[in-house]
Amino acid sequence: MGEEISMRHSAEWWKAVAHCIHDGILVIDKHEIVRMINPEYTKITGVTQDIIGKPLSAYRRGAKLPQTLKDRKIRAGVYRKTADREYMVDMAPIILDGEVVGAVSVCKSLTEVDKLSQELKRQREKVETLKSRMNRAYEAKYTFEDIMGKSDKVKKAISIAEKASASSFPVLITGESGTGKELFAQSIHNKSERSGRAFVPVNCAAIPSSLLESELFGYGEGAFTNAKKNGKPGLFEVAHEGTLFLDEIGDMPSSLQAKLLRVLQEKKLRRVGETKEREIDVRIIAATHHNIEQLVHKNHFREDLFYRLNVIRIEVPPLRERKEDISILIESQTSEFTSYIFEEEAVRVLRSYEWPGNIRELKNTVDYAICMADNEQITVENLPSFIVKKGEKNKEESETLQEMIRRREKEYIQKALSTCGYNIEGKKKAAELLGISLATLYNKLKKLNM
């Protein structure tokens, strides 16, 4: 008697549960007799409580739930349509102790399915929007067309870089500070199949070693004091399916080099304070101004990490080894100031200088000269004095007698014109000051490209 009451209470309990669910539910026993339907099932399908205690197939022709009893297969997303109703049905057998004792049908109206579908679509669109914003925040703007120069060393570096862009192998770019290593890195990314994804630059020398690990690999919730709730993804995760540019890799602390090596080998990472591994797909481009082989020899840089990074090597030449490109570089920088022209003597001085700061220093020098110029003609007088002194010294040490005479002649003519003026009257006075005729002055101006 007590067992019957317990069973009756149990049945009532499950019935109450079914009535609380917002999906339609219909249950049959192993004889295909309907044992329960909830109000939501009636609302969705139009089938009333009258069906309870009757064979399902007799009341609903074409019902597939009896088939589920026989083949024990779970059926999901079955489309049903009656005269005025459409809905989706999931079906599954009810198994106790290995025996099929019934089957259950769960249905949703297409209106509800559409709502869920639309919500899923909105959430996916939101995710794509966030991805798009992130990619724009980490966007590479330079391409190979922005690398100026026709010297053999620059052409060789560009050729290797263009071939590197066709693969996802690691790239190691070496070169002095100011030579344009990131320009090459961005160009490789923009020509690669990852160009639509994020290009994430990180300067390993600029971030304190105590913070660099969490910046690169992220951290989990509670990893340290003031850590964000739910943690924070690192730059590796931000660069997923894109490119991570590790600038000044030679300055990375030894403690992090081992972790970086493991991530590159396994293509997985663990956030700081977590045990969960996350898969990543990141193309690595590293750069350094150090002699990295020397760092390896002195045990300042892991040899195994060096070989992992040094798959494709690009050496960006210093400006002193490509002085034939100085005119092109000047022209590219003054293109926004279309009226400014560097006189030949000024360019000659710039070519004589050694440029320890490379292209970055040249850019600063051009900006300074434009600022100092009184007119569109940029002369030696408009250049920084220390560059003129060093350039003149280098030039004098290497120039021939003819070059020295030509240089001095230009200097005297330039000085006379600066004093007397560049118009016709000024040139007449300059010719008198120099002790030559006006016709001779014009000939010399033409001969000296002035």
Side-chain angles (χ1 to χ4, degrees):
M1 182 72 175
E3 186 177 341
E4 289 179 4
I5 294 172
S6 177
M7 289 179 64
R8 187 167 64 250
H9 279 223
S10 178
E12 292 297 324
W13 189 86
W14 283 111
K15 184 177 180 180
V17 170
H19 282 227
C20 293
I21 296 174
H22 292 291
D23 294 335
I25 297 176
L26 178 145
V27 178
I28 61 173
D29 62 17
K30 62 182 179 181
H31 303 296
E32 301 182 18
I33 304 299
V34 178
R35 291 302 176 188
M36 184 186 74
I37 67 171
N38 69 350
E40 195 67 21
Y41 190 89
T42 300
K43 180 179 177 183
I44 294 171
T45 65
V47 176
T48 66
Q49 299 281 332
D50 297 340
I51 197 175
I52 295 176
K54 299 175 183 176
L56 178 64
S57 55
Y59 192 87
R60 292 178 65 77
R61 293 180 181 180
K64 294 185 178 181
L65 193 58
Q67 185 65 29
T68 301
L69 280 175
K70 298 172 184 177
D71 61 20
R72 297 189 172 200
K73 288 184 179 179
I74 295 173
R75 292 173 168 82
V78 178
Y79 173 73
R80 296 300 302 269
K81 182 178 181 180
T82 60
D84 59 346
R85 300 172 190 268
E86 291 181 90
Y87 50 94
M88 303 294 290
V89 183
D90 296 337
M91 291 167 274
I94 301 171
I95 300 174
L96 289 176
D97 298 325
E99 181 185 351
V100 177
V101 296
V104 60
S105 171
V106 180
C107 64
K108 283 183 180 291
S109 69
L110 278 187
T111 303
E112 185 66 22
V113 173
D114 284 342
K115 285 180 182 178
L116 293 172
S117 177
Q118 289 298 321
E119 179 61 24
L120 179 60
K121 182 180 178 182
R122 280 194 295 271
Q123 293 301 325
R124 283 177 174 170
E125 287 174 350
K126 189 181 292 185
V127 169
E128 289 303 316
T129 299
L130 289 172
K131 282 184 178 180
S132 177
R133 286 178 182 174
M134 185 182 69
N135 288 338
R136 285 199 299 272
Y138 292 102
E139 185 177 14
K141 60 180 179 178
Y142 295 112
T143 66
F144 285 111
E145 286 70 30
D146 295 306
I147 301 176
M148 300 296 168
K150 295 183 178 179
S151 61
D152 291 340
K153 289 188 176 182
V154 169
K155 286 181 179 178
K156 181 180 178 181
I158 292 174
S159 175
I160 296 172
E162 286 182 325
K163 291 175 182 176
S165 65
S167 74
S168 284
F169 296 129
V171 176
L172 180 60
I173 305 175
T174 57
E176 297 177 5
S177 294
T179 51
K181 296 186 289 295
E182 185 169 348
L183 192 64
F184 275 86
Q186 290 194 22
S187 299
I188 292 170
H189 172 81
N190 274 332
K191 198 173 181 180
S192 74
E193 61 182 10
R194 298 171 183 262
S195 60
R197 301 293 182 174
F199 174 88
V200 182
V202 53
N203 190 318
C204 300
I207 302 174
S209 57
S210 58
L211 299 178
L212 186 57
E213 182 178 14
S214 60
E215 282 294 311
L216 286 175
F217 307 114
Y219 59 81
E221 184 174 353
F224 47 81
T225 306
N226 297 325
K228 287 185 177 181
K229 188 178 180 181
N230 301 321
K232 178 187 175 185
L235 295 177
F236 262 98
E237 290 179 70
V238 173
H240 182 62
E241 296 184 341
T243 301
L244 182 64
F245 177 51
L246 297 173
D247 198 9
E248 300 302 350
I249 188 74
D251 294 291
M252 176 175 281
S254 301
S255 58
L256 282 185
Q257 292 178 24
K259 187 165 184 177
L260 174 61
L261 177 64
R262 185 182 181 281
V263 170
L264 297 182
Q265 289 174 335
E266 304 297 329
K267 300 188 185 302
K268 296 178 181 178
L269 62 78
R270 288 193 190 103
R271 292 182 181 180
V272 176
E274 285 188 348
T275 57
K276 176 185 176 183
E277 287 194 324
R278 302 168 187 267
E279 292 190 0
I280 54 163
D281 173 19
V282 175
R283 204 261 176 90
I284 297 294
I285 302 179
T288 181
H289 74 279
H290 292 294
N291 183 328
I292 197 161
E293 284 88 355
Q294 198 173 73
L295 292 179
V296 171
H297 180 72
K298 292 180 178 180
N299 294 321
H300 293 158
F301 197 85
R302 290 181 65 106
E303 185 176 21
D304 46 7
L305 178 57
F306 166 69
Y307 287 119
R308 175 65 63 173
L309 295 171
N310 194 40
V311 179
I312 301 175
R313 180 75 165 265
I314 300 171
E315 296 180 359
V316 183
L319 188 53
R320 64 179 174 276
E321 294 180 8
R322 47 177 291 208
K323 289 186 176 179
E324 60 267 46
D325 291 333
I326 285 179
S327 294
I328 298 172
L329 293 167
I330 291 172
E331 185 178 340
S332 70
Q333 192 175 335
T334 55
S335 59
E336 58 182 298
F337 308 105
T338 52
S339 58
Y340 285 91
I341 297 174
F342 275 70
E343 289 190 350
E344 184 181 340
E345 184 60 24
V347 175
R348 190 188 297 272
V349 169
L350 296 178
R351 282 179 180 159
S352 301
Y353 184 61
E354 289 301 297
W355 299 108
N358 294 294
I359 297 175
R360 188 180 294 125
E361 186 181 11
L362 176 63
K363 180 182 183 302
N364 293 342
T365 300
V366 171
D367 289 343
Y368 174 89
I370 290 173
C371 184
M372 294 295 108
D374 295 321
N375 51 54
E376 290 82 4
Q377 295 292 323
I378 296 177
T379 67
V380 174
E381 284 75 17
N382 302 134
L383 302 177
S385 58
F386 73 94
I387 287 181
V388 175
K389 289 176 183 177
K390 290 183 179 180
E392 290 286 359
K393 183 180 179 182
N394 294 336
K395 186 169 62 174
E396 288 172 4
E397 289 174 353
S398 61
E399 68 183 355
T400 63
L401 178 62
Q402 287 288 347
E403 288 173 339
M404 184 181 71
I405 294 171
R406 179 185 176 91
R407 177 171 58 80
R408 290 294 188 187
E409 197 170 30
K410 285 188 73 171
E411 288 175 2
Y412 281 119
I413 293 174
Q414 184 63 58
K415 188 174 182 180
L417 289 172
S418 297
T419 302
C420 302
Y422 289 86
N423 56 22
I424 293 180
E425 288 301 318
K427 287 174 182 175
K428 287 180 180 179
K429 292 178 182 179
E432 292 177 10
L433 185 64
L434 292 167
I436 59 177
S437 67
L438 182 60
T440 301
L441 176 60
Y442 273 110
N443 287 335
K444 287 185 179 293
L445 289 172
K446 184 177 180 180
K447 181 180 177 181
L448 297 170
N449 293 322
M450 296 178 67

